[in-house]
Amino acid sequence: ECFSDLAHKSPELQEEFLYNAETQRNLAKNGQHLLAALNFFVSSINTIVNKTMEDSIATVKQYEVSRVEYDAYRSDLDYYKEAPKTEVNQMKLGETESSFNAKKTEFEKLRSDVQIKLKFLDENRVKVMQKQLLLFHTAVSAYF
């Protein structure tokens, strides 16, 4: 607006002032588009980092706990299989087998969940980054 006002006050420089006024308007407009693209870029990256990755990390932690429990029950099962065949040991063997099978099922499910989540995380990360980098490049190019 300042350049437009100066164009009216200085007729001999009117063309130059009007040209600069138009350039400044375009720069401001493109700057707003660049800022919007940057905000969208940051938001998308935050979603990947703070939601998708955190969810995957939580599943991996559950998997680790499940693995320790599974190994503990497997160790107990091996112990009772080798223990003397007393009535108490046979009861413990049955209980341990039942617990072992439950933990094995849980462990295998979590292992599958981790594999799937890591696969989807990688695919999603690549897709989001490709899209966001293209939008970011387009906004930067329009600005300059």
Side-chain angles (χ1 to χ4, degrees):
E1 299 303 315
C2 182
F3 283 115
S4 294
D5 291 342
L6 289 172
H8 296 302
K9 293 178 183 176
S10 301
E12 65 277 358
L13 297 172
Q14 183 175 16
E15 187 177 321
E16 289 80 6
F17 280 130
L18 289 175
Y19 177 76
N20 279 300
E22 184 63 28
T23 300
Q24 293 298 318
R25 274 193 287 279
N26 287 333
L27 191 60
K29 183 179 105 185
N30 291 338
Q32 290 171 348
H33 290 300
L34 179 60
L35 183 59
L38 284 171
N39 287 334
F40 189 65
F41 180 82
V42 169
S43 173
S44 295
I45 300 306
N46 278 334
T47 298
I48 287 177
V49 170
N50 296 323
K51 295 206 179 359
T52 310
M53 285 185 181
E54 282 185 9
D55 180 55
S56 297
I57 289 170
T59 303
V60 168
K61 287 179 181 177
Q62 289 175 333
Y63 169 73
E64 290 173 344
V65 169
S66 177
R67 175 61 190 244
V68 170
E69 291 173 348
Y70 168 70
D71 286 344
Y73 278 106
R74 186 175 58 194
S75 177
D76 288 349
L77 185 62
D78 291 344
Y79 171 79
Y80 285 114
K81 283 183 178 180
E82 299 298 321
K85 306 288 186 217
T86 66
E87 186 177 323
V88 172
N89 284 348
Q90 292 301 317
M91 281 181 32
K92 292 278 190 178
L93 177 62
E95 292 171 6
T96 303
E97 279 181 333
S98 175
S99 297
F100 169 77
N101 289 331
K103 289 299 174 182
K104 182 179 179 184
T105 301
E106 179 186 341
F107 169 71
E108 289 172 347
K109 181 190 178 308
L110 284 169
R111 180 174 48 194
S112 174
D113 289 351
V114 166
Q115 290 170 342
I116 290 168
K117 284 188 178 191
L118 290 179
K119 178 184 174 211
F120 286 149
L121 176 64
D122 188 51
E123 290 173 0
N124 189 28
R125 177 190 57 86
V126 170
K127 285 179 187 176
V128 168
M129 289 304 295
Q130 284 176 333
K131 178 182 176 186
Q132 292 306 314
L133 289 171
L134 180 62
L135 291 173
F136 182 66
H137 174 73
T138 302
V140 168
S141 295
Y143 182 74
F144 294 106

